[in-house]
Amino acid sequence: MHPAADGALARVRLPGGMIEPRQLEALAHAANRFGSSAMELTSRGNIQIRGIRDDEAATALADAVATAGLLPSPTHERMRNIVASPLSGRVGGSADVREWVRRCDAAICAAPDLAALPGRFWFSIDDGRGDVSGLAADVGAHVTGDSVALLLAGRDTGVRIAPSEVVPTLISVARRFVEVRGDAWRIAELTDTSVLIDGLARSAAPGATWPPVSRPPVGWISQDDGRIALGAGAPLGVLQARVAEYLAAIDAPMVVTPWRSVLVCDLDDGVADAALRVLAPFGLVFDEGSPWLDVSACTGSPGCERSAADVRADATRAVGDPSTAHRHFVGCERACGSPPTGEVLIATGDGYVLRKASP
Ligand code: SF4
């Protein structure tokens, strides 16, 4: 929970973005009962519930989240930041990394010393397609053929590890960071990162990076097993609880992506077709040419007291304006949720100033 201008804000972490339908349904019900029904999908693939009015509502909401199995470790909740290739195991990629995500989450929660990891630190696991390595998480694994590249701050260290070593190595780097970080919140803030990989041999040239991906997979996506995944973009990251209930009613596994969208997976053709017809009128984006995918925004006014403007309203007005870059509207210099590429428009109270996005 975090305080905000519109009441407390609950951030529910979803390692790898994975969420079961009953869990999304539970969050939707909790949002309706205890907070704002306008839930938010974050740029880390998490779900936020805002507008929690008082302590009683906060306690009830936390109970609902825990009952849904989404709060496995109160001591390590803020550290369960794992982003992974959302389509892994279903479409393309060089490996199925879903089990690594689950094991990494369990290993984080089982490590008492990692309770001291800053809440902004995050892990990435890319199945080789290069979609999440470009997000420049603090420590990452990127499948390269038969082995796995170890990344620090989105950059290849040149260290190659066996698939069986992925989770122990990620945990080991995180532990080392806790020991040496001083005042640093992120690995990118360290002047010397070699200390994090002491004892690990380099077997490839270091330094490679991956271009950031800024658009989600949307629409009708054919899985390798012949079934269908539906990719649904949420305009400005807002997922209304009522729409979430419809998504949950499809009763299929889901993945919240770091591009503020939801994948509804493992559908037969008929179910996918019916779901698409039901969901499209609710404003979810299934068209990859939609101008909504070119615009994003932080919370802004009135939810965030730091904001100089109602940035969501301004972003909505800007949808469809000619632009060659993704535009992210923010209410202050903190520029929350900025994507790694494109333009960030910062509200001043008298219009916006422009700056290039940076990871
Ligand atoms: S960028 Fe500023 S105004 Fe927007 S949510 Fe973050 S702190 Fe609030």
Side-chain angles (χ1 to χ4, degrees):
M1 298 275 182
H2 305 267
D6 54 350
L9 155 70
R11 182 169 301 139
V12 182
R13 287 177 172 79
L14 308 174
M18 294 183 276
I19 185 166
E20 297 170 14
R22 65 174 182 84
Q23 294 175 320
L24 183 61
E25 182 183 40
L27 291 185
H29 289 177
N32 273 332
R33 286 188 64 191
F34 309 118
S36 162
S37 58
M39 303 195 301
E40 296 176 343
L41 309 184
T42 78
S43 58
R44 289 187 164 204
N46 296 322
I47 294 180
Q48 292 182 166
I49 297 174
R50 312 188 63 89
I52 303 161
R53 55 190 177 273
D54 55 29
D55 289 350
E56 197 178 329
T59 302
L61 185 132
D63 285 347
V65 171
T67 301
L70 290 166
L71 195 54
S73 172
T75 54
H76 287 63
E77 179 52 30
R78 289 184 309 116
M79 296 83 205
R80 301 174 59 236
N81 300 308
I82 308 171
V83 66
S85 299
L87 284 165
S88 192
R90 294 189 167 98
V91 182
S94 302
D96 181 350
V97 302
R98 290 175 291 179
E99 189 53 31
W100 297 353
V101 172
R102 294 186 190 101
R103 285 175 25 217
C104 188
D105 183 28
I108 293 168
C109 294
D113 48 341
L114 291 189
L117 203 56
R120 294 178 65 193
F121 187 100
W122 60 331
F123 301 79
S124 67
I125 303 180
D126 192 307
D127 69 2
R129 77 187 68 217
D131 55 353
V132 298
S133 287
L135 294 170
D138 291 271
V139 58
H142 184 108
V143 178
T144 54
D146 291 339
S147 68
V148 182
L150 178 65
L151 279 50
L152 292 180
R155 191 169 291 272
D156 188 355
T157 59
V159 171
R160 296 290 179 270
I161 51 179
S164 61
E165 289 301 307
V166 166
V167 172
T169 305
L170 295 178
I171 296 298
S172 155
V173 170
R175 283 196 155 124
R176 192 80 185 104
F177 178 67
V178 167
E179 290 167 9
V180 304
R181 75 182 184 93
D183 295 332
W185 294 93
R186 303 285 310 274
I187 281 182
E189 296 168 32
L190 296 181
T191 47
D192 176 15
T193 58
S194 63
V195 65
L196 301 174
I197 54 172
D198 262 0
L200 295 172
R202 285 200 170 106
S203 57
T209 57
W210 283 262
V213 171
S214 58
R215 292 170 79 87
V218 295
W220 186 279
I221 301 165
S222 296
Q223 297 183 185
D224 297 341
D225 63 1
R227 293 187 288 179
I228 303 299
L230 288 180
L236 304 183
V238 176
L239 180 66
Q240 295 293 342
R242 189 166 64 108
V243 180
E245 287 168 355
Y246 277 105
L247 285 168
I250 301 170
D251 200 20
M254 285 175 281
V255 184
V256 176
T257 81
W259 307 285
R260 298 185 171 92
S261 71
V262 181
L263 291 165
V264 188
C265 305
D266 302 345
L267 306 174
D268 295 331
D269 273 30
V271 174
D273 189 52
L276 197 54
R277 288 171 200 275
V278 169
L279 293 169
F282 287 108
L284 292 174
V285 175
F286 293 99
D287 173 8
E288 60 183 25
S290 169
W292 282 105
L293 301 181
D294 298 323
V295 174
S296 55
C298 75
T299 298
S301 299
C304 180
E305 63 189 8
R306 298 175 63 117
S307 184
D310 184 347
V311 292
R312 282 191 180 149
D314 292 339
T316 299
R317 280 189 282 273
V319 171
D321 284 356
S323 173
T324 54
H326 182 97
R327 285 169 300 162
H328 185 65
F329 290 73
V330 296
C332 78
E333 287 282 344
R334 283 182 70 173
C336 298
S338 292
T341 57
E343 298 173 352
V344 178
L345 293 104
I346 304 168
T348 63
D350 182 24
Y352 286 82
V353 293
L354 174 69
R355 82 168 185 221
K356 294 287 180 203
S358 59

